[in-house]
Amino acid sequence: MKPPFSYVPLLPAAIIMVAVILIIHIFTLEPPAIMGKERYHGIVKRSKTNDTGQHLTVNTTLPGGQRATVLLTYPTVSIPVSPGDSVSFSATLNLPAHPDMYENDYASTLRRSGIEYTAFVRPDSLDITDRSNSLYWRIRRLQPLIGDMLKQSDLDTPSCEFLIATLTGDSSILPEATRTRFSSSGVAHVLALSGLHVGIIAIVLSIVLFPLRMTGKRHLPTAIIIVALWSYAVMTGLSPSVTRAVIMASTIGLGFMLKRRYSSFNALLLAMIIILLFDPIALFQPGFQLSFSAVASILIFSMPLNNINLKNRSLYYIVSLITVTIAATLGTAMTAAYHFHTFPSYFILANIPVIIILPFIISGGIVILIAEAAGIGCSAVCQSVDFLYRIIDSITTSVNMLPGATIKGIYFSGWTLIPYFATMTALALSIFYRRRIWYLLSAVSVISTMTILMATAPHYPEEEFFITRATYETSAIYRHKKEAFLITTAAPQNAMSVIHAHQRRFGDFLSIRGIDSLRIAPDSLTLGNITRIDNMLRYKDKTYQFVHNDRLEPNKHVDYVVVCRGFKGDILDIARTFSPDSILLSNDLHPRRHNRYLDSLQLHAIPHRSLKKP
């Protein structure tokens, strides 16, 4: 069997491009900090709406003339802002804050998406100055229109939301529980637009245009499909996975029209080069990495894994569903586990039936869109799509309920991906060339990968304690083995919202230590090396007194007094009452009061430390 990667002239160019991007990224400086509010002008690239308002990704120009990408939080839906709109807004641009030691790294996620600044914009501080009517932006604005048309149909809400996600790529409309269930069962990829969706749409278009092909105009349907697929890619925002699939499909179509030889691997590399040429930052996005590694792995491993004779077509295609799924998982398992820290144990059980059903759902969705645009009722099609989605919902729910359905808390160094992909490469070479040297290298690579995984596995102490930097209350987290407690000054009625906020902020901290959830600590707690009695807390040999009102009750020697929101008295009274070794000014203090306390402590040479975010 001839290996699919035997003729890849574009490989050197792709390697050089990746190396150049990595070198530039290493030496790229952080964008400059900007002080004070300014008036900016820019063009909206993306717009997402949720219950809290709109989140706008805007390309703008900084005061020094440098171009930058800003993520705006615009807390209103009464004035909809669409991609392609020119906007003028007043805001203070903030660099994404570097996380505290235990926080999730949200700043890195933004940087991987090419976002350099964030800002909050008051509803009366943003004006839409112009709207571009170029073909590109008119196609981009079709995305919400498609969602609105599906919502007007007779579809049930769950199947409608699923169709919006799988046709437009806007999975934010789905409930969090649905996204979690699909992820846990191993079919989250159907919610993120990819080559699978592009392939289904291409097949549907081929069937629709088949009569035109029968008239002898063989190239016209192919040209129409290429144009339609590129329009679809633009409409969904030119995500790396969709763009990759459309470039490969276009290469196939052009090869067919020009009667030229076609190489899947060269088409894959061509897609990589084109995407990175226009969007170098895409290299660091999980979608780009997963899309290219999945397709490369399918091209390499799917056929060798399928030993069914092609003459038995039915059985061959059934087995292909399994081998393609296994091949894609070989290519993406480590990358997905690195980014998302989970692995679905029963991915094959869910993927095969879902992949069989998905083309019929997407085809039904296209029919519904055409019918809605024409003003024709199609209740029967809506009912069929509802029925098919209920099957998918039942499959994902059943798989998710199986014991050990998801392996959680997977954390390892990104450097481990290098020996892993070296193992995959050696394995591929051994499959196609069947030489002893490649078998030996495969074994050595497997051992190296496992050794690195075990050597770099994180180890943590039995218990940990730290004060968080919350905005509206002062909170601390105490972990003892597999239990984690939140000690907070928040009012009881706000306790659950504070718990949820901290579980989001410190999700990685909890997950890597095998902890499912935080619990509110009782007023009296003795566990491990911690003792809490109301506002006094002792951890190991240090005592902390939390002060969040003006009633000061003298205590025995206190190592640290944590001054929180709610205390409005004289900071020197705290020093006289508790005689602490140090005073900690909490992050939730109002900035002016915080600064006044800071000045007073410095003036009187009282040991102190600010917990305020820089």
Side-chain angles (χ1 to χ4, degrees):
M1 183 185 299
K2 189 176 181 181
F5 48 82
S6 57
Y7 179 70
V8 283
L10 292 177
L11 182 59
I15 293 174
I16 292 172
M17 178 170 281
V18 169
V20 169
I21 292 172
L22 289 173
I23 292 171
I24 293 174
H25 178 73
I26 290 171
F27 292 100
T28 299
L29 299 176
E30 187 174 82
I34 299 175
M35 304 301 293
K37 183 178 288 188
E38 298 280 350
R39 191 76 184 175
Y40 299 93
H41 305 273
I43 297 177
V44 178
K45 289 174 57 181
R46 286 183 293 274
S47 174
K48 288 191 175 182
T49 303
N50 57 23
D51 295 339
T52 61
Q54 300 174 76
H55 299 276
L56 313 174
T57 304
V58 180
N59 278 350
T60 188
T61 303
L62 302 181
Q66 180 183 349
R67 299 290 296 173
T69 302
V70 182
L71 179 62
L72 298 182
T73 299
Y74 186 45
T76 180
V77 294
S78 59
I79 307 174
V81 184
S82 302
D85 286 353
S86 295
V87 295
S88 174
F89 60 93
S90 295
T92 301
L93 301 190
N94 303 302
L95 288 169
H98 293 285
D100 290 341
M101 181 166 48
Y102 300 104
E103 276 186 304
N104 300 345
D105 194 355
Y106 178 59
S108 291
T109 302
L110 291 178
R111 285 193 293 270
R112 284 198 298 268
S113 301
I115 293 171
E116 293 144 309
Y117 297 92
T118 62
F120 178 87
V121 182
R122 293 170 54 88
D124 57 355
S125 297
L126 184 144
D127 299 311
I128 300 173
T129 58
D130 193 17
R131 166 164 290 188
S132 174
N133 285 315
S134 67
L135 180 61
Y136 175 84
W137 290 114
R138 287 164 68 183
I139 293 174
R140 283 291 306 275
R141 286 194 283 268
L142 289 175
Q143 188 181 41
L145 179 62
I146 288 175
D148 292 339
M149 291 172 66
L150 290 172
K151 291 175 185 177
Q152 293 170 6
S153 68
D154 294 330
L155 287 168
D156 290 342
T157 298
S159 52
C160 178
E161 292 171 343
F162 178 76
L163 257 182
I164 291 173
T166 53
L167 281 176
T168 71
D170 183 12
S171 60
S172 62
I173 194 173
L174 293 169
E176 181 65 29
T178 301
R179 293 198 296 269
T180 301
R181 187 175 70 251
F182 273 69
S183 177
S184 300
S185 55
V187 292
H189 59 91
V190 304
L191 302 178
L193 296 183
S194 64
L196 174 64
H197 302 75
V198 173
I200 292 171
I201 292 172
I203 292 172
V204 171
L205 291 173
S206 297
I207 294 172
V208 172
L209 296 172
F210 184 73
L212 187 61
R213 195 178 298 275
M214 293 297 292
T215 63
K217 298 178 180 179
R218 298 177 58 196
H219 296 332
L220 183 58
T222 303
I224 293 174
I225 290 173
I226 291 174
V227 172
L229 291 181
W230 275 108
S231 299
Y232 179 72
V234 170
M235 185 269 290
T236 55
L238 290 173
S239 67
S241 55
V242 173
T243 306
R244 187 269 310 157
V246 173
I247 291 174
M248 293 185 71
S250 301
T251 307
I252 295 174
L254 291 173
F256 169 76
M257 294 169 67
L258 299 174
K259 298 181 180 179
R260 296 293 180 89
R261 179 176 149 189
Y262 171 78
S263 167
S264 298
F265 247 91
N266 278 324
L268 182 65
L269 292 171
L270 177 65
M272 177 185 289
I273 292 170
I274 291 174
I275 291 172
L276 294 181
L277 187 63
F278 288 95
D279 185 16
I281 201 72
L283 178 65
F284 305 99
Q285 297 172 7
F288 177 93
Q289 298 170 9
L290 293 171
S291 177
F292 280 89
S293 58
V295 175
S297 188
I298 289 171
L299 293 175
I300 294 171
F301 295 110
S302 61
M303 288 187 64
L305 289 173
N306 191 347
N307 293 319
I308 305 300
N309 195 312
L310 192 56
K311 293 180 180 179
N312 190 347
R313 290 185 176 274
S314 299
L315 182 59
Y316 177 84
Y317 289 126
I318 291 173
V319 174
S320 291
L321 289 173
I322 301 174
T323 59
V324 167
T325 301
I326 293 174
T329 304
L330 282 173
T332 60
M334 283 286 283
T335 305
Y338 172 72
H339 286 293
F340 306 115
H341 315 300
T342 62
F343 182 78
S345 306
Y346 308 108
F347 61 92
I348 292 181
L349 290 179
N351 266 279
I352 293 174
V354 168
I355 289 175
I356 292 173
I357 295 171
L358 186 63
F360 297 99
I361 290 184
I362 290 180
S363 301
I366 294 173
V367 172
I368 292 169
L369 285 173
I370 294 172
E372 287 293 327
I376 303 172
C378 54
S379 297
V381 179
C382 291
Q383 291 173 6
S384 300
V385 170
D386 289 337
F387 173 73
L388 292 174
Y389 175 73
R390 284 196 292 271
I391 295 176
I392 289 181
D393 185 74
S394 177
I395 291 169
T396 55
T397 300
S398 299
V399 170
N400 194 37
M401 292 177 64
L402 293 173
T406 306
I407 302 173
K408 299 180 180 179
I410 303 175
Y411 291 82
F412 53 87
S413 169
W415 294 106
T416 310
L417 294 173
I418 296 176
Y420 175 77
F421 283 112
T423 301
M424 293 296 101
T425 302
L427 182 61
L429 292 168
S430 65
I431 288 174
F432 286 102
Y433 293 114
R434 300 182 183 278
R435 294 179 183 174
R436 186 176 300 175
I437 182 64
W438 296 120
Y439 293 134
L440 179 62
L441 286 175
S442 296
V444 170
S445 298
V446 169
I447 294 171
S448 300
T449 303
M450 297 304 296
T451 302
I452 292 175
L453 277 173
M454 290 186 290
T456 59
H459 298 281
Y460 301 99
E462 190 174 73
E463 57 182 352
E464 294 169 285
F465 169 78
F466 59 94
I467 298 173
T468 72
R469 285 177 168 174
T471 304
Y472 301 107
E473 86 292 333
T474 298
S475 298
I477 290 177
Y478 171 67
R479 178 189 71 84
H480 182 264
K481 296 180 181 179
K482 299 294 184 182
E483 292 182 291
F485 293 92
L486 186 71
I487 301 161
T488 181
T489 62
Q493 62 268 26
N494 299 325
M496 290 312 299
S497 63
V498 173
I499 280 279
H500 292 150
H502 279 73
Q503 286 185 164
R504 287 194 301 270
R505 284 178 58 197
F506 299 94
D508 288 345
F509 166 83
L510 297 171
S511 179
I512 197 172
R513 291 158 175 79
I515 300 171
D516 292 329
S517 60
L518 274 171
R519 288 190 289 164
I520 290 288
D523 291 340
S524 296
L525 171 68
T526 301
L527 180 66
N529 284 311
I530 198 169
T531 301
R532 182 198 182 187
I533 301 175
D534 294 328
N535 296 319
M536 189 280 293
L537 184 148
R538 183 175 183 82
Y539 177 64
K540 295 184 177 178
D541 59 343
K542 300 297 181 183
T543 304
Y544 298 79
Q545 180 74 38
F546 291 82
V547 177
H548 56 94
N549 55 50
D550 292 337
R551 189 175 66 253
L552 302 180
E553 299 177 359
N555 207 332
K556 294 181 181 180
H557 174 72
V558 174
D559 294 289
Y560 300 104
V561 172
V562 185
V563 183
C564 316
R565 175 189 290 263
F567 177 75
K568 299 180 175 62
D570 189 338
I571 193 69
L572 299 180
D573 289 342
I574 288 181
R576 286 189 289 266
T577 302
F578 297 103
S579 300
D581 291 346
S582 184
I583 292 178
L584 307 181
L585 300 179
S586 181
N587 184 73
D588 68 339
L589 284 170
H590 189 279
R592 286 197 295 269
R593 180 171 291 113
H594 167 275
N595 294 338
R596 188 169 67 250
Y597 289 164
L598 193 64
D599 292 340
S600 183
L601 292 170
Q602 290 172 345
L603 179 65
H604 292 84
I606 297 173
H608 64 278
R609 179 185 170 192
S610 172
L611 302 182
K612 206 76 170 169
K613 289 185 178 180

